[in-house]
């Protein structure tokens, strides 16, 4: 798609705050913002980071066109000196982020911005818009693909997505989360994703008979052929006609390597088992049975438990919209100001403990069990803290502090999650392809314990605070309470 001018893809108050900082001569003051989220979608114990490539594109192309400047001028809110500042706007800060496909958990920074306050403020809305959406769909896709096991899953949701961008970038995120292909041709072109599809009921209905429709279709598509068998009567009409056509192709030595049927309605477990018997009896043991019809992770899991013979799943609405949890809920909060060499921590207080923020310039460490390679916990620390795997490590729940455990020396490994993406406004990171990200995501998912992957009541993976960060946070809370009493 052509590069769009996204300079105005922001909330109005970002621009009014920017103008306020500008006229207070504070626009160059450096600040640190953390992007994180507070709870996992869909009852999951984890989420998957996605959208970084589009964040990079946004930052690299962020500038105000004259058309945008004229529009802002027409609002009678922004003054000429500030508009001149916007004319020369360029992001000059630093961005650190977890890589796409990484397993992430609530309340830990998944992206950190260190930049002059006006720059950091402007990009908030777009960063949240991009990362929230793709992380949501990638997480939903991971759940669906886990339910499907080794079966192929194709993203089928374009027509139900909330607009073209949601369909395009949702398809990308779905592949990161584990899908093998998409029905979305534009997403296929943009991201080099395989595109797949069969035929619609309208094709069958447009011919004098179902078998004529099937014959004409397979004559056109001899190498990858799937017939939709539920337009009229699946077991009495669609399947027998499909088998007749498959037999004719076999007699002509023209049976494609990949062929099969698609079920789009009815009791998919019952119909697929009946279809498998009929296909096998006719000598079509290699015929694939695929299914669509409002699938999600729970229905796929239940169908497999009932012995359904489906090995290819086309998942549409419930994937592309994450229908049971249609918003990710990421937030972007100030965590520190920078004055020369001094970092001044900042904290947002709230009567709701879930909305307290973690102050300071931080990093996120992932702690793995050395023997199994599984995640033990994540540890949020201040940037200067150092940990040695040769020493014991105490980790504790930052809310229920009595919950703690001591990791023995040399029993764990540590990996830092936030990596530099932009330095002084220049991108130093090259995004992998979508399928490279997908492969990385699969290795990430393998670091989760099975108990944390189950669909219902999964085991939570703890995100802990270092002792120094914990003390800083609660000393700031205490000082604030004392000053207000």
């Amino acid at each position: 798609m052509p590069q769009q001018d996204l300079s105005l893809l922001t909330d109005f108050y970002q621009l009014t705050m920017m103008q306020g900082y500008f006229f207070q001569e504070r626009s160059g003051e450096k600040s640190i913002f953390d992007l994180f989220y507070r709870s996992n979608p869909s009852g999951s114990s984890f989420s998957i980071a996605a959208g970084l490539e589009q964040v990079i594109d946004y930052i690299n192309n962020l500038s105000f066109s004259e058309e945008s400047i004229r529009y802002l001028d027409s609002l009678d809110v922004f003054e000429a000196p500030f508009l001149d500042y916007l004319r020369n706007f360029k992001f000059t800060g630093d961005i650190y982020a977890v890589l796409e496909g990484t397993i992430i958990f609530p309340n830990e920074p998944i992206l950190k911005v260190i930049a002059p306050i006006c720059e950091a403020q402007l990009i908030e809305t777009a960063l949240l818009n991009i990362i929230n959406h793709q992380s949501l769909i990638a997480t939903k896709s991971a759940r669906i693909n886990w339910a499907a096991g080794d079966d192929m899953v194709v993203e089928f949701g374009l027509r139900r997505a909330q607009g073209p961008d949601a369909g395009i970038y949702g398809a990308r995120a779905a592949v990161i989360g584990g899908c093998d292909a998409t029905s979305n041709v534009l997403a296929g072109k943009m991201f080099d994703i395989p595109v797949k599809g069969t035929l619609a009921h309208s094709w069958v209905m447009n011919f004098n008979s179902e078998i004529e429709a099937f014959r004409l279709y397979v004559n056109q598509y001899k190498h990858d052929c799937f017939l939709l068998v539920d337009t009229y009567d699946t077991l009495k009409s669609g399947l027998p006609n499909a088998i007749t056509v498959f037999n004719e192709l076999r007699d002509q030595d023209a049976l494609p390597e990949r062929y099969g049927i698609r079920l789009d309605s009815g009791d998919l477990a019952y119909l697929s088992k009946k279809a498998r018997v009929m296909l096998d009896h006719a000598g079509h043991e290699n015929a694939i049975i695929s299914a669509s019809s409002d699938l999600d992770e729970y229905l796929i899991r239940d169908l497999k438990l009932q012995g359904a013979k489906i090995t290819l799943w086309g998942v549409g609405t419930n994937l592309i919209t994450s229908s049971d949890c249609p918003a990710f809920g990421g937030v972007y909060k100030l965590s520190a100001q920078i004055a020369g060499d001094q970092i001044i921590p900042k904290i947002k207080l709230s009567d709701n403990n879930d909305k307290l923020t973690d102050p300071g310039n931080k990093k996120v460490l992932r702690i793995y069990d050395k023997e199994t390679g599984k995640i033990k916990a994540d540890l949020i620390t201040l940037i200067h803290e150092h940990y040695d795997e040769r020493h014991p490590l105490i980790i504790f729940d930052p809310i229920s502090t009595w919950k703690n455990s001591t990791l023995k020396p040399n029993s764990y490994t540590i990996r830092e999650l936030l990596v530099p993406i932009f330095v002084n406004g220049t991108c130093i990171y090259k995004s992998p392809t979508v399928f490279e990200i997908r492969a990385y995501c699969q290795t990430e998912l393998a670091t989760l314990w099975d108990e944390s992957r189950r669909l219902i009541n999964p085991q939570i993976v703890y995100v802990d605070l270092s002792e120094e960060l914990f003390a800083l946070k609660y000393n700031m809370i205490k000082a604030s309470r004392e000053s207000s009493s």
Side-chain angles (χ1 to χ4, degrees):
M1 295 178 74
Q3 182 62 45
Q4 296 175 282
D5 175 6
L6 298 181
S7 58
L8 300 184
L9 185 65
T10 191
D11 290 304
F12 185 62
Y13 77 165
Q14 311 287 17
L15 290 162
T16 59
M17 285 189 288
M18 287 173 68
Q19 180 168 255
Y21 289 128
F22 177 81
F23 282 112
Q24 292 172 33
E25 298 184 350
R26 296 185 59 185
S27 60
E29 291 183 2
K30 278 197 170 183
S31 298
I32 303 176
F33 282 82
D34 294 331
L35 191 156
F36 60 96
Y37 69 103
R38 294 192 176 108
S39 62
N40 291 307
S42 303
S44 179
S45 73
F46 67 92
S47 295
I48 293 174
L52 180 59
E53 182 178 344
Q54 284 64 52
V55 166
I56 292 170
D57 288 345
Y58 164 72
I59 297 294
N60 276 335
N61 293 282
L62 182 56
S63 63
F64 288 80
S65 66
E66 278 304 316
E67 182 182 357
S68 295
I69 297 292
R70 284 194 298 272
Y71 170 73
L72 292 175
D73 191 25
S74 74
L75 299 177
D76 294 327
V77 172
F78 301 106
E79 299 181 34
F82 177 65
L83 294 176
D84 286 338
Y85 163 77
L86 294 183
R87 281 189 174 90
N88 299 305
F89 183 91
K90 184 183 184 302
F91 181 78
T92 64
D94 303 336
I95 294 178
Y96 297 79
V98 301
L99 301 183
E100 291 192 88
T102 300
I103 297 296
I104 52 176
F105 303 110
N107 298 312
E108 61 188 16
I110 58 176
L111 184 145
K112 178 171 69 174
V113 175
I114 305 176
I117 184 62
C118 279
E119 297 175 23
Q121 202 74 69
L122 175 66
I123 66 176
E124 172 184 359
T125 304
L127 265 56
L128 286 170
N129 176 272
I130 294 166
I131 290 173
N132 277 343
H133 174 244
Q134 290 202 48
S135 298
L136 176 72
I137 305 306
T139 305
K140 186 67 171 179
S141 175
R143 289 170 60 82
I144 288 168
N145 279 275
W146 183 80
D150 294 332
D151 298 345
M152 184 176 184
V153 179
V154 181
E155 183 277 312
F156 266 10
L158 177 58
R159 65 187 61 192
R160 300 287 175 80
Q162 284 102 340
D165 279 358
I168 293 165
Y169 296 107
R172 178 184 187 273
V175 171
I176 288 173
C179 286
D180 299 277
T182 180
S183 67
N184 185 331
V185 180
L186 182 53
K189 174 179 180 292
M190 290 174 63
F191 307 117
D192 197 23
I193 300 169
V195 290
K196 299 290 183 183
T198 58
L199 67 158
H201 294 106
S202 59
W203 173 274
V204 178
M205 296 162 65
N206 260 304
F207 295 94
N208 293 326
S209 67
E210 187 175 51
I211 196 164
E212 179 189 4
F214 287 174
R215 283 172 174 150
L216 290 169
Y217 188 82
V218 300
N219 186 60
Q220 185 73 42
Y221 302 103
K222 293 184 172 66
H223 302 295
D224 194 345
C225 167
F226 285 81
L227 299 177
L228 181 61
V229 296
D230 71 330
T231 304
Y232 302 120
D233 188 305
T234 300
L235 297 180
K236 294 181 179 179
S237 173
L239 235 133
N241 283 329
I243 289 171
T244 296
V245 172
F246 295 154
N247 288 340
E248 291 170 354
L249 290 172
R250 183 174 58 195
D251 292 343
Q252 300 164 22
D253 198 24
L255 198 62
E257 183 176 338
R258 282 178 52 84
Y259 72 103
I261 64 166
R262 177 163 70 96
L263 302 169
D264 191 49
S265 60
D267 187 323
L268 298 179
Y270 172 79
L271 291 173
S272 68
K273 287 185 278 189
K274 287 290 187 182
R276 185 75 273 159
V277 170
M278 294 170 67
L279 288 163
D280 290 356
H281 182 73
H284 295 290
E285 294 87 353
N286 293 329
I288 296 168
I289 300 175
S290 64
S292 43
S293 187
D294 292 328
L295 299 168
D296 64 11
E297 63 267 44
Y298 301 104
L299 181 53
I300 291 173
R301 178 199 59 184
D302 287 353
L303 288 168
K304 290 178 77 70
L305 287 172
Q306 293 162 33
K309 301 302 181 181
I310 300 159
T311 57
L312 194 163
W313 308 86
V315 188
T317 304
N318 293 317
L319 169 54
I320 204 66
T321 66
S322 185
S323 58
D324 59 338
C325 183
F328 192 66
V331 294
Y332 182 90
K333 299 297 180 184
L334 178 70
S335 62
Q337 292 175 314
I338 301 175
D341 295 331
Q342 185 180 10
I343 294 176
I344 305 166
K346 296 291 180 177
I347 188 170
K348 177 188 178 298
L349 300 178
S350 172
D351 290 335
N352 184 344
N353 284 338
D354 291 340
K355 291 196 172 185
L356 294 173
T357 61
D358 296 326
N361 186 9
K362 300 177 292 296
K363 59 185 176 183
V364 182
L365 304 179
R366 177 146 296 164
I367 304 167
Y368 299 92
D369 180 84
K370 192 170 186 176
E371 181 179 351
T372 64
K374 301 293 186 183
I375 298 172
K376 294 286 290 184
D378 277 5
L379 181 64
I380 308 175
T381 80
L382 294 168
I383 198 72
H384 62 266
E385 294 188 75
H386 175 71
Y387 293 84
D388 190 330
E389 297 164 358
R390 297 171 297 177
H391 297 157
L393 176 64
I394 299 174
I395 54 177
F396 64 92
D397 187 309
I399 304 299
S400 304
T401 53
W402 54 271
K403 295 181 181 178
N404 63 75
S405 61
T406 300
L407 305 181
K408 294 179 181 179
N410 299 312
S411 70
Y412 64 93
T413 58
I414 294 177
R415 170 189 165 208
E416 188 167 345
L417 294 188
L418 292 167
V419 301
I421 307 299
F422 282 86
V423 175
N424 296 326
T426 299
C427 182
I428 62 169
Y429 175 77
K430 179 175 172 54
S431 292
T433 68
V434 172
F435 272 88
E436 287 171 339
I437 298 170
R438 179 184 184 272
Y440 165 69
C441 185
Q442 296 306 304
T443 65
E444 279 284 287
L445 289 165
T447 65
L448 286 168
W449 301 88
D450 289 342
E451 292 83 352
S452 293
R453 293 209 67 183
R454 61 179 175 244
L455 299 179
I456 299 175
N457 294 329
Q459 175 63 40
I460 299 302
V461 179
Y462 288 106
V463 176
D464 305 320
L465 304 184
S466 70
E467 290 189 36
E468 186 174 347
L469 177 55
F470 180 87
L472 172 64
K473 179 176 182 176
Y474 283 94
N475 285 336
M476 292 181 73
I477 293 171
K478 181 181 178 182
S480 175
R481 287 173 178 166
E482 289 174 351
S483 67
S484 62
S485 61

